[in-house]
Amino acid sequence: MTAAPIQETRRQTKLLGWQGFTLRVPYDWDLTGFSGSYEEGYLRVDDGEEQGLELKWATEPKKAKKPLDIEVRAESYLASLGRAAKKKRLAFDSELIPVPRGIQRPGREGFGFKWTGDKKAFGALWHCKETRRVVIAQVVGDRSGRKGLAGVSEGILASIENKDAEPGWRFWSLYDLQVELPSRFKLASQQLMNVYLRLSLADGMERVSVEQWAVANVARKDAYLDAWLEQNARGELNQVHYQAEEASVCGHEAVAMQGGLAFGAPWVQAFREILSLRIPATRFSARAWHCEPSNKIYLMQSLRPFRAADSIEELVSRMECHV
């Protein structure tokens, strides 16, 4: 009686969004490694056992010294893998192939590839003319190709988009968090755990952050939400004074907070920024709510300069806390 639901779960996928990329991976895969920035970085998503996706990217200069030869880049990448295998005294075979049809997009130029060493991989390397990104994506598994590695690879690679779907907005999705934030904000810091997640982004002095707590019914117990947040929030809430009032978010009872920088160290830092001819962020707004269907607590915060528009309502409206 349990076989069908288990098989259905294995067929399900989820959407991942990170640094301007979106892709679909099997439902039981999670983010396990990352580094870099929007311009250049690395991402790994895997099942915790043997199969996983590795994504690497770099952004070409607007005025390159010489034209980009994507075939040379692809051959160079496979050659580097071959040299690494040789050092380990491992047999290594690789092949460069035309880019698979599912990966083709307008403005993309690239090649597909596959290799077998201590593991087996199917991948692609391409250049996106619009974003100037050079992307290497490969799905790696057991060298035998078991567990349908070829089919899994085909689906994941075909799902990868390397640019924002809506100009001016960037999609972030991981560990059940789904949120769109203005693309002008760059990731400044993060805490990624199964029970707690925080993304903090900045554009100059302006900052936005989103926090998510899992198993909310256990964590919160019977505490009032605003009182619980004072003890557990780790973002801008600790640097401000504010007034809280009842609100509604996504059909849930919520807390709306408005205020400014707290006295003491936050204002000392603000004065330093003024002396450096920068406009400090002194206005604060936030929304917090307990989503019972997903059993999570969410907190979206914004700290901005005095004359900047308050966009907290739009930011919250672009979050999805439950399906």
Side-chain angles (χ1 to χ4, degrees), residues 95-279:
E95 182 181 357
L96 201 61
I97 59 177
V99 64
R101 182 176 299 178
I103 300 172
Q104 295 175 3
R105 303 283 191 282
R108 279 188 187 179
E109 176 191 3
F111 289 87
F113 62 82
K114 53 186 177 180
W115 58 261
T116 304
D118 57 337
K119 295 184 178 181
K120 191 178 188 71
F122 297 90
L125 186 151
W126 69 84
H127 174 244
C128 175
K129 293 182 180 179
E130 181 177 343
T131 63
R132 308 194 316 280
R133 280 176 154 180
V134 176
V135 181
I136 302 175
Q138 61 182 13
V139 179
V140 182
D142 187 86
R143 71 186 316 274
S144 68
R146 65 183 183 182
K147 294 186 178 180
L149 179 62
V152 171
S153 302
E154 182 180 1
I156 294 175
L157 295 174
S159 75
I160 299 175
E161 300 293 347
N162 56 257
K163 61 182 181 179
D164 300 322
E166 180 180 347
W169 291 89
R170 186 153 297 149
F171 182 73
W172 299 83
S173 176
L174 63 160
Y175 296 116
D176 298 328
L177 172 70
Q178 293 193 16
V179 59
E180 287 181 286
L181 298 170
S183 56
R184 61 188 176 88
F185 285 93
K186 305 299 183 183
L187 185 64
S189 63
Q190 67 285 314
Q191 287 182 265
L192 308 178
M193 299 178 285
N194 287 332
V195 295
Y196 174 73
L197 167 66
R198 179 171 185 263
L199 296 178
S200 179
L201 299 94
D203 176 29
M205 297 295 103
E206 189 174 358
R207 301 196 298 273
V208 297
S209 67
V210 56
E211 293 179 73
Q212 173 189 278
W213 291 266
V215 200
N217 60 331
V218 176
R220 182 184 170 190
K221 297 182 180 179
D222 297 324
Y224 288 108
L225 184 56
D226 54 350
W228 187 88
L229 289 169
E230 287 184 4
Q231 298 296 320
N232 292 276
R234 307 178 191 180
E236 289 72 23
L237 205 66
N238 296 319
Q239 306 172 32
V240 299
H241 66 84
Y242 59 88
Q243 292 183 333
E245 60 182 22
E246 294 182 356
S248 176
V249 172
C250 301
H252 308 302
E253 292 183 359
V255 176
M257 291 165 271
Q258 300 286 143
L261 285 182
F263 294 108
W267 267 110
V268 171
Q269 180 60 38
F271 281 123
R272 289 174 180 169
E273 291 164 0
I274 293 173
L275 293 174
S276 300
L277 302 180
R278 293 178 294 185
I279 301 176

Side-chain angles (χ1 to χ4, degrees), residues 65-79:
K65 294 182 179 179
K66 59 182 180 179
L68 173 67
D69 190 326
I70 198 67
E71 184 173 5
V72 169
R73 288 284 184 94
E75 290 175 341
S76 176
Y77 175 66
L78 293 180

Side-chain angles (χ1 to χ4, degrees), residues 78-96:
L78 293 180
S80 68
L81 295 179
R83 289 191 296 270
K86 186 176 181 179
K87 288 182 179 180
K88 298 178 181 179
R89 298 182 179 180
L90 296 172
F92 183 81
D93 293 309
S94 65
E95 182 181 357
L96 201 61

